[in-house]
Amino acid sequence: GDVVIKDAKGNDVTKNYEIAENPGQLTITPVAATVTVTIEGNTATETYNGSEHTVSGYDVSIDNKLYKESDFSFSGTAEAKGTNANTAENPEYKMGLSDANFTNTNGNFANVEFKVIDGWLKINPRPVTLKAMDNNVTYDGQPHGANLNNSKIEEGISYTITNLVDGHSVKTVTISGSQTAVGEYK
């Protein structure tokens, strides 16, 4: 149907031939070389503020320009959440990403390897400053110590604290020490 035969004068002489079509075969094989897809989970470092912090997502790098991000699928959640500051007992919050979360969906690539670096969230403790208030007295031979109001330790009178999260307060403060001689003492 698509073949046209012409004579030397340019006339169509196709009807004078019986054409037997014998199509050739084209074979396209998948890329055999290993394609390495590196997945690196996002990370974040925050400071405790009493609220939940979140880090999500990941970055992708591929060592073959023919292979695209759309050539694999992801199942799972690429997210880490946490509220409390991390300690030795409570290390950073992990996303839980692994190579099992990723699947090659492009049959043009026979060997796809996923190298996954898990994402994490670290929450640092909030720095606060607790300061005992100064107390100045004249030597009278009696022991003296903290600046107390009727022997009670009260914020703003015997101590100050800065940088607490709104709604948080100090439950217990102990201020001790007593000196009799003239001098400056901590």
Side-chain angles (χ1 to χ4, degrees), residues 104-157:
N104 176 34
T105 58
N106 187 333
N108 294 324
F109 298 87
N111 298 306
V112 178
E113 179 181 286
F114 294 96
K115 290 189 176 181
V116 179
I117 302 163
D118 199 8
W120 51 262
L121 168 66
K122 180 165 177 43
I123 302 175
N124 290 321
R126 184 179 193 85
V128 297
T129 302
L130 178 64
K131 180 183 183 299
M133 299 295 268
D134 294 336
N135 189 14
N136 294 308
V137 296
T138 301
Y139 174 78
D140 61 5
Q142 299 297 312
H144 294 278
N147 187 2
L148 303 175
N149 179 24
N150 299 325
S151 300
K152 292 168 121 183
I153 297 175
E154 294 183 27
E155 185 174 356
I157 296 172

Side-chain angles (χ1 to χ4, degrees), residues 76-97:
T77 304
E79 183 174 74
K81 293 180 179 183
T83 302
N84 294 318
N86 300 116
T87 62
E89 298 81 36
N90 178 34
E92 69 261 351
Y93 301 94
K94 297 280 192 176
M95 285 185 183
L97 290 178

Side-chain angles (χ1 to χ4, degrees), residues 7 12 32 40-41 46 54 80 86 110 114 147 163 167 178 181:
D7 65 14
D12 185 348
E40 188 169 353
E46 303 289 347
T54 302
N86 300 116
F114 294 96
N147 187 2
N163 207 29
S178 159

Side-chain angles (χ1 to χ4, degrees), residues 4-172:
V4 176
I5 300 172
K6 295 189 178 189
D7 65 14
K9 296 179 183 177
N11 299 318
D12 185 348
V13 293
T14 307
K15 63 184 176 181
N16 296 318
Y17 292 92
E18 186 177 302
I19 301 170
E21 291 185 22
N22 186 3
Q25 182 173 337
L26 170 64
T27 302
I28 299 176
T29 59
V31 173
T34 300
V35 174
T36 302
V37 179
T38 303
I39 308 288
E40 188 169 353
N42 292 332
T43 62
T45 302
E46 303 289 347
T47 299
Y48 174 77
N49 67 2
S51 299
E52 184 176 70
H53 295 279
T54 302
V55 63
S56 60
Y58 51 84
D59 292 325
V60 177
S61 64
I62 303 169
D63 71 352
N64 184 317
K65 67 181 179 179
L66 295 175
Y67 196 84
K68 306 292 182 212
E69 238 180 284
S70 58
D71 293 332
F72 66 86
S73 64
F74 169 72
S75 63
T77 304
E79 183 174 74
K81 293 180 179 183
T83 302
N84 294 318
N86 300 116
T87 62
E89 298 81 36
N90 178 34
E92 69 261 351
Y93 301 94
K94 297 280 192 176
M95 285 185 183
L97 290 178
S98 74
D99 59 345
N101 294 113
F102 299 90
T103 305
N104 176 34
T105 58
N106 187 333
N108 294 324
F109 298 87
N111 298 306
V112 178
E113 179 181 286
F114 294 96
K115 290 189 176 181
V116 179
I117 302 163
D118 199 8
W120 51 262
L121 168 66
K122 180 165 177 43
I123 302 175
N124 290 321
R126 184 179 193 85
V128 297
T129 302
L130 178 64
K131 180 183 183 299
M133 299 295 268
D134 294 336
N135 189 14
N136 294 308
V137 296
T138 301
Y139 174 78
D140 61 5
Q142 299 297 312
H144 294 278
N147 187 2
L148 303 175
N149 179 24
N150 299 325
S151 300
K152 292 168 121 183
I153 297 175
E154 294 183 27
E155 185 174 356
I157 296 172
S158 40
Y159 72 92
T160 60
I161 189 155
T162 57
N163 207 29
L164 281 180
V165 172
D166 287 344
H168 290 196
S169 61
V170 174
K171 181 176 179 181
T172 304

Side-chain angles (χ1 to χ4, degrees), residues 169-185:
S169 61
V170 174
K171 181 176 179 181
T172 304
V173 172
T174 301
I175 301 174
S176 61
S178 159
Q179 299 294 330
T180 304
V182 171
E184 288 187 12
Y185 304 94

